[in-house]
Amino acid sequence: MKATIYDVAREAGVSIAAVSQVMNGKGKISEERRAEILKVMEKLNYQPSVIASALTGKKTYTLGLLVPDISNPFFAEIARAVEDQGHEMGYSLVICSTDNKDERVERYLSLLQQKSVDGMIIGTGMDNKEMLKPLMDRSIPIVMIAREMQDLALHTVVCDDFVGGCMAAQHFVALGHKRLAILAEHTKVTSSRERVKGFVHTLEEAGMTLSDHHVRNCRYTAEDGKREALELLELPPAERPTALFCCNDMLAIGALQAAKQLKLRVPEDVSVVGFDNTILASVTDPPLTTIAQPIEPMGKKVVDLLLLELKKKSQDKQRVVMRPELIVRQSTGAPGHVE
Amino acid sequence: MKATIYDVAREAGVSIAAVSQVMNGKGKISEERRAEILKVMEKLNYQPSVIASALTGKKTYTLGLLVPDISNPFFAEIARAVEDQGHEMGYSLVICSTDNKDERVERYLSLLQQKSVDGMIIGTGMDNKEMLKPLMDRSIPIVMIAREMQDLALHTVVCDDFVGGCMAAQHFVALGHKRLAILAEHTKVTSSRERVKGFVHTLEEAGMTLSDHHVRNCRYTAEDGKREALELLELPPAERPTALFCCNDMLAIGALQAAKQLKLRVPEDVSVVGFDNTILASVTDPPLTTIAQPIEPMGKKVVDLLLLELKKKSQDKQRVVMRPELIVRQSTGAPGHVE
DNA sequence: TTGAAAGCGCTACCAC
DNA sequence: GTGGTAGCGCTTTCAA
């Protein structure tokens, strides 16, 4: 059986209070008692119970991370960054894949609460933002990453999605594209909406427009992207876009697959830009031009904000916006030309 | 503040014992009291504390998953399968990326123990297997996935790595390759060792051999794979392999990149087979022929075994071996020919 | 300095 | 049926 604080105390001939003190480095203990207790802990291979400690008002040293799908490389990379930064400070990470379903979000929110996590990092969308209210009322620290929850006072770390969308558009415009289209995520995904806005904004500044049926909403799988891209690319030549802006790398892969299936060459017949710059972007055929999010810095920052909130409550909520970057690979070129 | 069992009891005018009983569906309670209590719980939005419950000898409903790196798609996909199956049964998942470093493994093992997780799923290698002993002595349920811990009586779920290696070799032999090479993982990775063994075995059965410098050990990143593949592919023509078996998809991507850098065509100049069939295999250029592991069934099975172990202890340890499958895409062909 | 004791929220046993 | 109560392992006053 596991050794408890009582075992240590008995073995060392002191009170449990003494043991507790040396563990927490509080109170006054003579050096020799301290040493003795430490020795006994070692000998018994004593592992203090976080559970018991947490019950006494201390922390659980556990954080929750809600994302749509941990098997999606983007979120897996986020998770790794978050895990590392948390681990640095002694925290563990519980992952929660929501599939963007409110019921799952709710379930996980409740579960994490019952498990008394010290804080939650939310990187998933949800239709009903009210779900977060109860948590905030109970002042459970919550921070957002890669998603915004407007109207809610929450620390938030995002990349500048609007600017990212602009960058993609600028790239296409500079290349000379005239017929553009977008593969967006579900409209409830704020980051995707911003990217679309930025893209459209830049296009309009350049005197171009985007017809509605050239903006397709997908879920977040490559299959979805492929299906929508197929429809786009099968339009009559005069309407068929020569450039596709995809709101994430997964969708871009779907677009690439669609192009391949239709025997369209990339980038000669159609250019594709993705978003996120996950590992996927570097291995596609051709390698994907994409807008990079600074995933690691974002993950680190969001943990820092959360831990900050953990100690000093009720400060100003920050909104940290990090700059995306256009990574030009080989999926983009001038329309109708070999690059 | 969060409502406690006392709040519910007071509000409902009953004892906490009564409340506890309705929560756990045990003991006898009159229907009306039951309904009343339920109503109060609802009203107070009562969330029972898993922490307190766990302290009383119950479970924490939390599982730990140790993998080398959650941002590696293979492990991310494993994690998703494990998460889902666990979630089904009310468990949460703590992810632990070890980077294959013993110190990190040890740290996480200790942390998970202090947090009283109900069980651990280990999908990472470690040099010193002794680290697991203390956990086993304390009879903390441990199961292995995609890794073996020989000499240790542990439930284990793996795919048949040896057979997987054989499949790769058979594929190459059937295609007519004569000069083969392997990109293996670190020798301490049992699964990789088995794959190499199977590969070599089949080769020898076909009357072929593999010289030592045609078997390279890498870590687990694409960069490593690329570096080693570069060396292999820069050998003089008479020694240069026409077929590369890579022990995972990441390494295969590195190989693909190496080939591209050297202006070698795949599969005309060099064929490449990967292992795992992660999402990466479907997006490479060209799409990767690979040996698929049944990731989802494996993840589900390992959770089942763990939960089984949770209830009835000390049963026979199972070793579940799942069958891999050759997925032929476009990175393999006959040597010197366009496929 | 040191330790006795009062909880933290919940479970389970036992007496009523 | 129902509720009192003794812990679970640890933290934290507060006396001594």
Side-chain angles (χ1 to χ4, degrees):
Chain A
M1 212 30 228
K2 265 189 77 159
T4 73
I5 197 173
Y6 287 97
D7 300 322
V8 176
R10 189 181 329 110
E11 187 79 8
V14 299
S15 73
I16 61 167
V19 178
S20 176
Q21 292 192 109
V22 345
M23 289 196 314
N24 299 293
K26 295 185 172 179
K28 277 92 188 33
I29 303 250
S30 63
E31 235 350 284
E32 48 188 327
R33 279 173 101 65
R34 216 183 115 69
E36 168 66 11
I37 291 174
L38 250 11
K39 210 174 67 189
V40 174
M41 296 213 280
E42 181 84 5
K43 174 179 156 202
L44 266 43
N45 189 231
Y46 171 61
Q47 308 254 45
S49 159
V50 174
I51 296 291
S53 157
L55 190 55
T56 349
K58 307 269 287 196
K59 299 188 295 187
T60 52
Y61 286 95
T62 301
L63 267 24
L65 173 66
L66 275 72
V67 293
D69 181 6
I70 190 66
S71 75
N72 174 321
F74 175 65
F75 295 109
E77 289 172 30
I78 291 260
R80 180 54 142 105
V82 168
E83 180 198 347
D84 278 356
Q85 187 70 359
H87 191 237
E88 198 78 22
M89 324 300 273
Y91 290 82
S92 303
L93 224 215
V94 172
I95 53 162
C96 312
S97 295
T98 67
D99 283 335
N100 278 327
K101 298 212 186 83
D102 273 22
E103 32 171 312
R104 283 185 66 112
V105 173
E106 188 151 29
R107 177 91 200 284
Y108 270 123
L109 249 24
S110 164
L111 240 98
L112 291 176
Q113 227 179 131
Q114 294 179 198
K115 295 191 177 168
S116 308
V117 297
D118 296 331
M120 307 188 191
I121 298 170
I122 299 188
T124 187
M126 61 191 82
D127 294 321
N128 178 9
K129 290 163 195 145
E130 294 306 307
M131 289 192 287
L132 293 183
K133 272 306 192 53
L135 304 201
M136 295 175 68
D137 290 345
R138 291 173 183 191
S139 62
I140 294 174
I142 298 179
V143 298
M144 305 291 307
I145 185 169
R147 288 276 188 286
E148 310 230 23
M149 215 51 91
Q150 48 229 43
D151 326 322
L152 256 37
L154 255 25
H155 284 302
T156 303
V157 176
V158 289
C159 100
D160 198 325
D161 293 304
F162 187 88
V163 166
C166 294
M167 289 174 162
Q170 277 157 10
H171 183 56
F172 282 145
V173 169
L175 251 19
H177 287 273
K178 301 295 181 198
R179 290 193 309 278
L180 313 172
I182 302 181
L183 253 43
E185 293 181 53
H186 192 288
T187 50
K188 73 184 171 188
V189 180
T190 53
S191 56
S192 175
R193 284 209 310 267
E194 285 301 307
R195 291 168 197 176
V196 171
K197 270 193 210 163
F199 190 84
V200 170
H201 171 80
T202 294
L203 245 42
E204 288 177 347
E205 275 199 334
M208 306 168 71
T209 55
L210 213 53
S211 67
D212 274 356
H213 68 287
H214 275 175
V215 179
R216 324 291 285 220
N217 292 111
C218 319
R219 291 154 66 85
Y220 55 96
T221 65
E223 291 67 45
D224 284 310
K226 181 175 178 183
R227 180 163 28 77
E228 296 296 331
L230 237 25
E231 290 193 21
L232 247 14
L233 296 178
E234 283 177 324
L235 290 172
E239 279 184 71
R240 187 174 64 71
T242 61
L244 242 40
F245 172 46
C246 308
C247 283
N248 66 48
D249 288 345
M250 279 288 216
L251 295 180
I253 285 169
L256 254 23
Q257 293 172 341
K260 182 168 291 185
Q261 179 171 320
L262 296 177
K263 305 270 192 270
L264 291 173
R265 294 162 305 166
V266 177
E268 295 84 345
D269 300 319
V270 55
S271 285
V272 177
V273 165
F275 209 111
D276 291 345
N277 191 33
T278 55
I279 182 158
L280 297 175
S282 61
V283 304
T284 54
D285 168 24
L288 192 64
T289 294
T290 191
I291 309 294
Q293 291 202 53
I295 296 183
E296 195 180 320
M298 286 169 68
K300 292 209 179 317
K301 185 66 186 178
V302 84
V303 172
D304 288 344
L305 286 178
L306 185 55
L307 298 191
L308 204 73
E309 173 110 3
L310 270 186
K311 28 195 61 137
K312 0 173 175 176
K313 296 278 184 187
S314 71
Q315 52 193 339
D316 290 349
K317 304 303 179 194
Q318 293 185 41
R319 179 164 179 279
V320 178
V321 180
M322 298 196 163
R323 193 170 174 75
E325 184 188 356
L326 172 70
I327 307 287
V328 178
R329 293 205 180 83
Q330 295 155 43
S331 66
T332 48
H337 291 87
V338 177
E339 183 62 338
Chain B
M1 213 30 226
K2 265 189 76 159
T4 74
I5 197 174
Y6 288 98
D7 300 323
V8 176
R10 188 181 331 109
E11 187 79 11
V14 299
S15 72
I16 61 167
V19 178
S20 176
Q21 291 188 118
V22 345
M23 288 196 313
N24 299 293
K26 296 185 173 180
K28 278 95 194 20
I29 302 250
S30 64
E31 230 359 276
E32 46 188 329
R33 281 173 100 64
R34 214 182 115 70
E36 169 64 11
I37 291 174
L38 250 11
K39 210 174 67 190
V40 174
M41 297 211 288
E42 181 86 5
K43 172 180 159 202
L44 266 41
N45 189 231
Y46 170 63
Q47 309 255 41
S49 160
V50 174
I51 296 292
S53 158
L55 191 55
T56 344
K58 307 272 285 195
K59 298 188 293 186
T60 52
Y61 286 94
T62 302
L63 266 23
L65 173 66
L66 275 71
V67 293
D69 182 5
I70 189 66
S71 74
N72 173 320
F74 174 64
F75 295 109
E77 289 172 30
I78 291 260
R80 181 51 141 107
V82 168
E83 180 198 345
D84 279 356
Q85 187 70 359
H87 191 237
E88 199 77 21
M89 324 300 274
Y91 290 81
S92 304
L93 225 215
V94 172
I95 52 160
C96 311
S97 296
T98 66
D99 283 334
N100 277 327
K101 298 211 185 85
D102 273 21
E103 32 171 313
R104 283 184 68 113
V105 172
E106 187 152 29
R107 176 90 199 286
Y108 270 123
L109 247 24
S110 163
L111 232 80
L112 291 177
Q113 226 179 129
Q114 295 179 199
K115 294 188 177 170
S116 308
V117 297
D118 296 330
M120 309 190 191
I121 299 170
I122 300 189
T124 186
M126 60 192 81
D127 296 320
N128 178 11
K129 288 162 196 146
E130 293 307 307
M131 289 191 289
L132 293 182
K133 273 304 193 53
L135 304 201
M136 295 174 70
D137 291 345
R138 290 175 183 187
S139 63
I140 295 174
I142 299 180
V143 298
M144 306 289 309
I145 185 168
R147 288 274 187 288
E148 310 231 21
M149 215 50 92
Q150 48 228 45
D151 325 324
L152 257 36
L154 256 25
H155 284 300
T156 304
V157 176
V158 289
C159 98
D160 198 326
D161 294 303
F162 186 89
V163 167
C166 294
M167 289 174 162
Q170 277 157 9
H171 183 56
F172 281 146
V173 169
L175 251 19
H177 287 272
K178 301 295 182 198
R179 291 194 310 279
L180 314 171
I182 302 181
L183 255 42
E185 293 182 54
H186 191 290
T187 50
K188 72 184 174 190
V189 179
T190 53
S191 56
S192 174
R193 284 209 310 268
E194 285 302 306
R195 291 168 199 176
V196 171
K197 271 193 211 162
F199 190 83
V200 170
H201 170 80
T202 294
L203 245 41
E204 290 177 345
E205 276 199 333
M208 307 169 71
T209 55
L210 212 55
S211 66
D212 275 356
H213 69 287
H214 275 175
V215 180
R216 324 291 286 220
N217 292 111
C218 319
R219 291 152 66 85
Y220 55 96
T221 65
E223 289 69 43
D224 285 308
K226 181 175 179 185
R227 181 162 27 77
E228 297 295 331
L230 236 25
E231 290 192 22
L232 248 14
L233 297 178
E234 283 178 323
L235 289 173
E239 281 184 68
R240 187 172 65 69
T242 61
L244 245 38
F245 171 45
C246 308
C247 283
N248 66 50
D249 288 345
M250 278 287 215
L251 295 179
I253 285 169
L256 255 22
Q257 293 173 339
K260 182 168 290 183
Q261 179 170 321
L262 296 177
K263 305 268 193 273
L264 292 173
R265 295 162 305 167
V266 177
E268 295 85 343
D269 300 318
V270 55
S271 286
V272 177
V273 165
F275 208 111
D276 292 345
N277 193 32
T278 55
I279 181 157
L280 297 175
S282 61
V283 304
T284 54
D285 167 25
L288 191 65
T289 293
T290 192
I291 310 294
Q293 292 202 52
I295 296 183
E296 195 179 320
M298 286 171 67
K300 291 211 180 314
K301 185 66 187 177
V302 84
V303 172
D304 288 344
L305 285 179
L306 185 54
L307 299 191
L308 204 72
E309 172 109 4
L310 269 185
K311 28 194 63 136
K312 0 173 175 176
K313 295 277 185 189
S314 71
Q315 52 193 338
D316 290 348
K317 303 304 178 194
Q318 293 184 41
R319 179 164 180 281
V320 179
V321 180
M322 299 197 161
R323 190 167 176 78
E325 184 188 355
L326 171 71
I327 308 287
V328 179
R329 293 205 180 83
Q330 295 154 44
S331 66
T332 49
H337 293 87
V338 176
E339 182 64 338

